[in-house]
Amino acid sequence: MKRSEVNYDDLSPMMKQYLDIKKDYEEELLFYRIGDFYELFFEDGITASRELELTLTGKNAGLDERIPMCGVPFHSVKPYLEKLVNKGYKVAICEQLEDPKNTKGMVKRGVVQVVSKGTVVDLELLNEHDNHYIASVLDFNYIYTICYADISTGSIFVSIIPHHIDKLISTILNLGILEIVLENNENLELVSLLKGTYGIEVSYNNNYLEGQYEEIYASLEDEHYILAIKNLLYYLVVKELKDLSHFKPATIVYPDDYLEMDVHTVRNLELIETLRLKERTFSLLWLLDKTKTSMGSRMLKNWLMNPLKKEELIIDRYNKIEKLNNEFILKEQLRDNLYQIYDLERLCGKISCGNLNARDLLQLKASLKVLPDIARIIQELHFDLKINTHQDLFELLEKAIYENPPVTIKEGFLIKEGYNAELDELKDIRSGGKEFIANFEAKLKEETGIKNLKVGYNKVFGYYIEVTKGQIANVSEDFHWERRQTLTNAERYISPELKEKEALILNAEEKIIDIEYNLFVEIKEIIKKQILELKDTATCIAKIDAITALAVCAEEYRLVRPTINHEHVIDIKNGRHPVIERVSNMDYVANDCVMDGSINTLLITGPNMSGKSTYMRQLAIIIIMAQMGSYVPASKANLPIIDKIFTRIGASDDLVSGESTFMVEMKEAKNAICNATEDSLILFDELGRGTATYDGMSLAEAILKYVSTHIKCKTLFSTHYHELTVLENSIPAIKNVHVSAIEEDGKITFLHKIKNGSVDKSYGIHVAKLAGLPDEVINDALKTLAIYEKKPKCQKHDEQLQLVMEFPDEKKDLLKEKLEKLDPLRMTPMEALNALYELKMDINQKN
């Protein structure tokens, strides 16, 4: 049964209320609170029962037929929310806005929040190491403006991106944005890429928030930034009902301030996750993350993904690492204190827009407790960081909050004695009442002679005097007891004195819970007034934690402080790949990488599995670590400031878009060639191997020449096309190096050592033997190789035959014009075949 199929007038009052609320949340699954459950009805119930594997039941709603329904307990709703949100659903939480005990008729209900992929604030549902970004993207036809925010931390950023969809997608993926808000769905390519290819939730909003939270963008002048912020704020505040009072003023991110890395570079270098398993373990971030706080972990990831280009900022981080390692006792004290700090950023978010409880405030208190000691250490280290110790808030929480409160805030036992006089008085009554009950029971036993009577309490009948059946005869009318309940083995009574005390005690209990709840809310509001200062403190702690982690890595992994030069020189002695060195079972072979001002390109040859790719990645990682402000894995490193890194490493078909390995290769090569500058770094591994030998070799040579003579950036170019090594003779900027190996008795030993000069053998069959191919296959391959080696060598590379398509004169100009309009790099294989077919048909028609 669907909502559209029912007659509204026939429904029960509660179901009419449900439909009235649901019509404003058509796209969301409405969790409708009834007592201790969230219920879902009609289509929502059917969807939720399927996705959550719940039993679909029915509910009487005034109709002849029961309507579909399923539900989940409100106290254990989090796992269900997490599952639905991860599957791409939005959930609207509809709460009871009145206490049913104090309400006559229908309880007022309303949606209090909407939860989607990008707006989760519950700490239990968030990854502590990652930011949880939602972003708004505005398309101005000549630029994109992106505003992204983490509601759980209150951080908001805005940036302008060139009007290239690839750059926009790279930015979104590198930030790990979970939900994108677009003005409309007109850009079908962008929507398809976000939703279909990368699984990012897409929402729509073409409104702008006015008159609220203006302080977030008050300092900005550029209208592009302001509109993007207002667009995101409207979605968060109006559509998702978020309280953003913990948001700091927006930060403008200028991409030119940071080393640029596209999504392929981040993945190929395994900066934040491994290529094979897509896991954090064994990535560079995993290796470097020695932080003690969640905030520090997120800050370190931000530094890794955004290496600096400003030399003074890089040097400042080097200096701090050096100071920390020189003052190793202070460093260890600092780490011990950092370990005691909870996630202040997300606690601030929870104070504003989450379900804060007393245990959260205890975490805040524990964090504030160690701030004075951290501030002292930072002062002794002479770091240019100021820490607000928030002593007033610590004293407030120390005085107010119980050390072991319940999870909920409506059970009492939140506020300590001595904080509020009225509350203390009521607690005395409650305590005295319990003491009275014990004394009253003893007194009754003495006066009545009924030694086994009991004074007890239950929620249905209140306080009572219980006498067993065998002692009922001893209950005298003179006691003035009233029978309250009959049990199988006993009778329960109430006395005038007990009734009077019961009313006093029960009222005190209710009043205590109400007062404690109100005091808790007051304390929350006091903290809320200092929330921006708390966030500043959290940011400062995150920076301290991140730089301390890098100092620990420098010491633990034998890293050295790099030197920065302005002569376009790379001089690395005994460089190492830090992750492989750490996880490998064998001794790591360190290698130099030397490129003076006159050498732009190292052309690397050598056997498969010898370490060419590792050597290339190693250089990029050393540069990234150096520019994020870290020491680097080498015995010496003299490096320039690099502005962009491009990589083409490994073979990967883009199965989603139907593009082949070779097309992916060419697109990534084009991206590097078109965007690299003289200050960039390019890593090309086996470029051209995805097509026929001569095609691949010709393209590889052309690209190598272009990069070395036109762009003149630092480039590592590995290849099996040994014919390319002759370019060293004609282009001074190219230098041949190779990875050495020893062949003895048909067996190969990889030395993993980079040496000058080139090699002219690939040892492919030897690698196949190492891989365990059958001897029959290996022997057959060796025989075939011997035959090929005896054949005359092919013509020199520069004299190779060129295939020329000749056209009849009458059609030559027309066909040439058609060919010039074709862009092979932007065509799918099917489009290319169709174009070729059309050209062939044109020729056949003429003939």
Side-chain angles (χ1 to χ4, degrees):
M1 183 188 297
K2 298 180 179 179
R3 282 180 288 129
S4 58
E5 296 173 350
V6 302
N7 186 340
Y8 180 85
D9 294 331
D10 294 339
L11 293 170
S12 64
M14 190 189 75
M15 196 49 57
K16 286 180 180 178
Q17 183 191 58
Y18 169 82
L19 288 182
D20 291 340
I21 295 172
K22 176 63 183 175
K23 69 183 179 184
D24 293 326
Y25 298 93
E26 293 287 345
E27 296 179 0
E28 292 80 11
L29 296 176
L30 183 64
F31 275 47
Y32 183 80
R33 177 76 177 272
I34 302 177
D36 290 341
F37 281 81
Y38 288 112
E39 306 286 9
L40 297 98
F41 303 108
F42 296 107
E43 296 95 327
D44 286 3
I46 294 170
T47 300
S49 68
R50 181 184 68 247
E51 299 291 357
L52 300 175
E53 300 178 8
L54 300 173
T55 302
L56 184 66
T57 61
K59 183 176 181 63
N60 293 321
L63 305 174
D64 294 337
E65 184 182 350
R66 287 159 65 88
I67 65 170
M69 180 193 81
C70 71
V72 298
F74 87 96
H75 55 78
S76 59
V77 71
K78 289 178 184 177
Y80 299 107
L81 279 180
E82 181 180 19
K83 194 170 184 179
L84 288 171
V85 168
N86 286 340
K87 289 188 173 189
Y89 291 97
K90 296 179 184 178
V91 177
I93 307 295
C94 178
E95 293 287 2
Q96 297 175 168
L97 304 179
E98 299 174 323
D99 189 338
K101 291 186 293 184
N102 304 325
T103 305
K104 291 183 179 180
M106 181 65 62
V107 174
K108 185 179 178 181
R109 292 180 174 88
V111 173
V112 296
Q113 66 168 318
V114 176
V115 183
S116 59
K117 260 191 181 180
T119 58
V120 175
V121 293
D122 196 307
L123 301 188
E124 294 178 20
L125 305 182
L126 297 173
N127 185 329
E128 63 178 341
H129 300 296
D130 297 325
N131 280 105
H132 206 83
Y133 287 130
I134 179 173
S136 168
V137 174
L138 297 187
D139 186 349
F140 291 96
N141 295 321
Y142 56 95
I143 56 168
Y144 293 110
T145 305
I146 182 170
C147 174
Y148 53 98
D150 184 341
I151 302 204
S152 68
T153 66
S155 305
I156 182 166
F157 306 90
V158 65
S159 184
I160 287 176
I161 299 171
H163 202 259
H164 299 294
I165 197 166
D166 290 342
K167 285 189 178 293
L168 177 62
I169 292 294
S170 272
T171 301
I172 290 169
L173 295 179
N174 283 347
L175 287 168
I177 291 170
L178 300 170
E179 184 177 354
I180 295 288
V181 181
L182 303 176
E183 283 191 288
N184 51 57
N185 61 353
E186 291 178 2
N187 191 335
L188 297 179
E189 182 185 4
L190 177 60
V191 173
S192 175
L193 280 171
L194 292 172
K195 294 183 73 171
T197 305
Y198 299 111
I200 297 172
E201 185 68 23
V202 176
S203 303
Y204 302 100
N205 168 52
N206 55 9
N207 294 303
Y208 303 88
L209 189 69
E210 302 290 349
Q212 287 180 267
Y213 301 112
E214 294 177 352
E215 64 277 6
I216 291 176
Y217 53 85
S219 62
L220 306 181
E221 296 180 359
D222 192 322
E223 195 66 18
H224 299 96
Y225 294 142
I226 295 172
L227 286 175
I229 293 170
K230 285 182 176 181
N231 182 261
L232 182 59
L233 293 182
Y234 184 93
Y235 180 81
L236 295 176
V237 174
V238 178
K239 290 197 169 187
E240 300 230 335
L241 306 174
K242 303 300 182 188
D243 179 351
L244 307 183
S245 56
H246 64 301
F247 268 42
K248 293 177 66 176
T251 300
I252 300 175
V253 176
Y254 298 102
D256 287 345
D257 288 347
Y258 304 98
L259 190 161
E260 181 183 321
M261 300 180 288
D262 63 19
V263 65
H264 306 294
T265 298
V266 172
R267 288 177 176 172
N268 285 332
L269 297 178
E270 300 184 308
L271 296 185
I272 58 176
E273 65 179 18
T274 57
L275 274 169
R276 179 174 294 181
L277 300 177
K278 307 295 183 189
E279 292 180 352
R280 192 175 190 268
T281 305
F282 303 134
S283 67
L284 181 60
L285 179 60
W286 163 80
L287 185 82
L288 297 179
D289 193 353
K290 301 291 183 181
T291 57
K292 293 294 187 179
T293 70
S294 302
M295 303 171 292
S297 182
R298 294 192 295 271
M299 180 67 73
L300 187 71
K301 180 181 177 181
N302 179 268
W303 287 2
L304 177 60
M305 294 295 290
N306 298 280
L308 300 166
K309 283 164 59 179
K310 292 184 178 177
E311 184 177 349
E312 61 273 19
L313 298 179
I314 299 172
I315 296 298
D316 179 64
R317 290 183 188 171
Y318 292 164
N319 291 339
K320 285 185 169 67
I321 290 172
E322 185 174 358
K323 184 71 173 178
L324 282 164
N325 283 338
N326 287 338
E327 301 286 350
F328 56 89
I329 295 176
L330 289 177
K331 181 180 73 174
E332 290 308 312
Q333 290 177 1
L334 189 57
R335 298 189 78 212
D336 289 342
N337 284 309
L338 289 169
Y339 185 69
Q340 299 176 59
I341 294 182
Y342 290 85
D343 198 335
L344 282 177
E345 282 185 327
R346 286 184 168 159
L347 282 174
C348 288
K350 210 171 179 187
I351 289 166
S352 288
C353 58
N355 298 317
L356 188 78
N357 59 43
R359 296 184 182 183
D360 295 322
L361 293 187
L362 288 181
Q363 290 186 0
L364 177 59
K365 185 182 83 170
S367 303
L368 299 180
K369 184 178 181 180
V370 298
L371 290 184
D373 207 25
I374 292 177
R376 172 189 61 79
I377 295 170
I378 294 304
Q379 192 171 8
E380 288 186 39
L381 291 168
H382 303 293
F383 284 179
D384 54 346
L385 296 167
K386 274 195 171 184
I387 294 181
N388 183 342
T389 58
H390 304 281
Q391 206 57 30
D392 55 336
L393 287 187
F394 173 75
E395 291 170 1
L396 170 67
L397 297 173
E398 175 69 15
K399 181 180 178 183
I401 305 298
Y402 263 134
E403 299 301 334
N404 189 25
V407 175
T408 68
I409 56 176
K410 292 189 176 180
E411 295 180 28
F413 300 100
L414 302 175
I415 308 298
K416 286 181 177 179
E417 286 80 5
Y419 181 74
N420 179 276
E422 182 184 2
L423 180 63
D424 289 346
E425 185 178 349
L426 287 168
K427 285 182 177 179
D428 285 342
I429 292 173
R430 181 179 66 183
S431 175
K434 289 177 181 178
E435 187 179 341
F436 166 79
I437 295 299
N439 293 335
F440 187 66
E441 183 178 295
K443 175 186 169 187
L444 285 179
K445 288 178 179 179
E446 183 69 29
E447 290 179 350
T448 63
I450 305 173
K451 300 301 181 185
N452 64 349
L453 70 76
K454 295 178 182 177
V455 177
Y457 170 81
N458 67 38
K459 290 183 179 180
V460 178
F461 295 102
Y463 287 93
Y464 56 82
I465 304 165
E466 183 176 292
V467 180
T468 60
K469 292 286 189 183
Q471 296 292 324
I472 290 176
N474 296 325
V475 178
S476 169
E477 290 184 6
D478 296 338
F479 297 166
H480 302 292
W481 291 0
E482 297 176 17
R483 183 179 281 105
R484 175 160 280 193
Q485 185 183 14
T486 300
L487 304 177
T488 304
N489 299 317
E491 294 284 347
R492 289 178 174 174
Y493 303 89
I494 184 75
S495 73
E497 189 179 1
L498 189 57
K499 202 169 186 178
E500 179 185 341
K501 202 67 177 177
E502 175 186 72
L504 189 61
I505 292 169
L506 291 180
N507 287 338
E509 191 70 44
E510 283 188 21
K511 272 189 155 185
I512 286 169
I513 291 173
D514 288 342
I515 290 174
E516 288 206 355
Y517 174 77
N518 292 331
L519 289 173
F520 181 85
V521 172
E522 285 180 15
I523 293 168
K524 177 181 172 180
E525 290 303 314
I526 292 171
I527 298 170
K528 206 170 177 181
K529 289 177 182 177
Q530 292 193 36
I531 207 151
L532 294 182
E533 290 86 348
L534 277 170
K535 280 179 58 59
D536 287 338
T537 301
T539 301
C540 191
I541 292 295
K543 290 178 180 177
I544 293 167
D545 195 14
I547 202 70
T548 306
L550 292 180
V552 171
C553 290
E555 194 171 52
E556 186 174 336
Y557 304 142
R558 299 178 294 112
L559 310 181
V560 299
R561 176 172 176 153
T563 303
I564 295 175
N565 68 73
H566 302 277
E567 288 77 44
H568 208 50
V569 169
I570 292 178
D571 185 6
I572 298 172
K573 295 292 190 292
N574 297 312
R576 314 184 303 276
H577 190 299
V579 179
I580 295 177
E581 179 189 33
R582 194 70 180 172
V583 302
S584 175
N585 294 325
M586 300 184 298
D587 291 337
Y588 189 87
V589 178
N591 275 298
D592 299 346
C593 184
V594 181
M595 303 171 75
D596 60 28
S598 64
I599 299 296
N600 296 330
T601 304
L602 293 185
L603 184 58
I604 311 168
T605 51
N608 290 310
M609 284 183 60
S610 60
K612 298 191 298 295
S613 297
T614 298
Y615 179 69
M616 297 170 76
R617 287 187 174 99
Q618 175 179 306
L619 172 61
I621 285 174
I622 287 173
I623 286 171
I624 290 167
M625 288 178 65
Q627 289 186 219
M628 72 178 283
S630 169
Y631 283 19
V632 299
S635 60
K636 173 193 171 186
N638 185 14
L639 304 167
I641 298 290
I642 298 294
D643 65 353
K644 303 174 185 179
I645 296 180
F646 301 94
T647 66
R648 172 56 213 168
I649 301 175
S652 58
D653 290 12
D654 190 339
L655 299 178
V656 176
S657 62
E659 292 178 344
S660 66
T661 298
F662 185 63
M663 179 59 82
V664 173
E665 272 192 18
M666 291 300 101
K667 281 192 169 184
E668 292 183 15
K670 171 208 158 193
N671 181 44
I673 291 171
C674 294
N675 293 291
T677 72
E678 188 177 356
D679 294 323
S680 301
L681 172 68
I682 294 178
L683 307 180
F684 280 153
D685 188 20
E686 308 284 354
L687 197 66
R689 63 182 166 185
T691 187
T693 303
Y694 287 164
D695 281 351
M697 186 161 55
S698 301
L699 279 166
E701 179 176 329
I703 291 171
L704 183 57
K705 286 179 179 176
Y706 186 87
V707 170
S708 300
T709 59
H710 287 73
I711 303 174
K712 300 179 181 178
C713 64
K714 297 300 184 187
T715 304
L716 298 191
F717 197 110
S718 75
T719 186
H720 280 296
Y721 299 135
H722 302 295
E723 293 85 349
L724 300 184
T725 58
V726 300
L727 292 175
E728 181 186 55
N729 301 325
S730 57
I731 303 176
I734 297 177
K735 178 183 178 181
N736 287 327
V737 296
H738 69 277
V739 190
S740 56
I742 298 175
E743 183 185 0
E744 291 179 340
D745 300 326
K747 294 183 180 180
I748 187 171
T749 303
F750 300 119
L751 301 181
H752 305 294
K753 196 68 179 176
I754 299 291
K755 295 183 178 180
N756 290 332
S758 62
V759 295
D760 57 2
K761 195 170 183 179
S762 294
Y763 299 99
I765 295 176
H766 298 81
V767 174
K769 188 173 183 180
L770 286 175
L773 262 65
D775 290 342
E776 183 179 349
V777 173
I778 298 297
N779 294 332
D780 192 23
L782 287 170
K783 290 176 184 176
T784 305
L785 178 63
I787 294 170
Y788 280 125
E789 287 178 338
K790 289 177 182 176
K791 287 184 178 181
K793 297 289 184 182
C794 67
Q795 292 170 288
K796 292 181 181 177
H797 180 56
D798 56 0
E799 297 175 1
Q800 284 176 7
L801 294 175
Q802 299 296 314
L803 297 177
V804 180
M805 183 181 288
E806 300 224 357
F807 306 109
D809 291 341
E810 295 86 346
K811 284 286 180 180
K812 189 169 185 180
D813 292 340
L814 178 60
L815 292 172
K816 180 181 178 183
E817 184 180 334
K818 283 190 174 183
L819 279 171
E820 286 175 344
K821 290 180 179 179
L822 299 179
D823 184 355
L825 296 182
R826 294 184 176 274
M827 297 170 73
T828 66
M830 184 57 69
E831 288 171 342
L833 284 172
N834 289 335
L836 184 61
Y837 178 77
E838 289 175 7
L839 290 172
K840 182 175 175 61
M841 291 299 293
D842 286 345
I843 295 171
N844 289 341
Q845 286 172 10
K846 180 62 182 174
N847 293 336

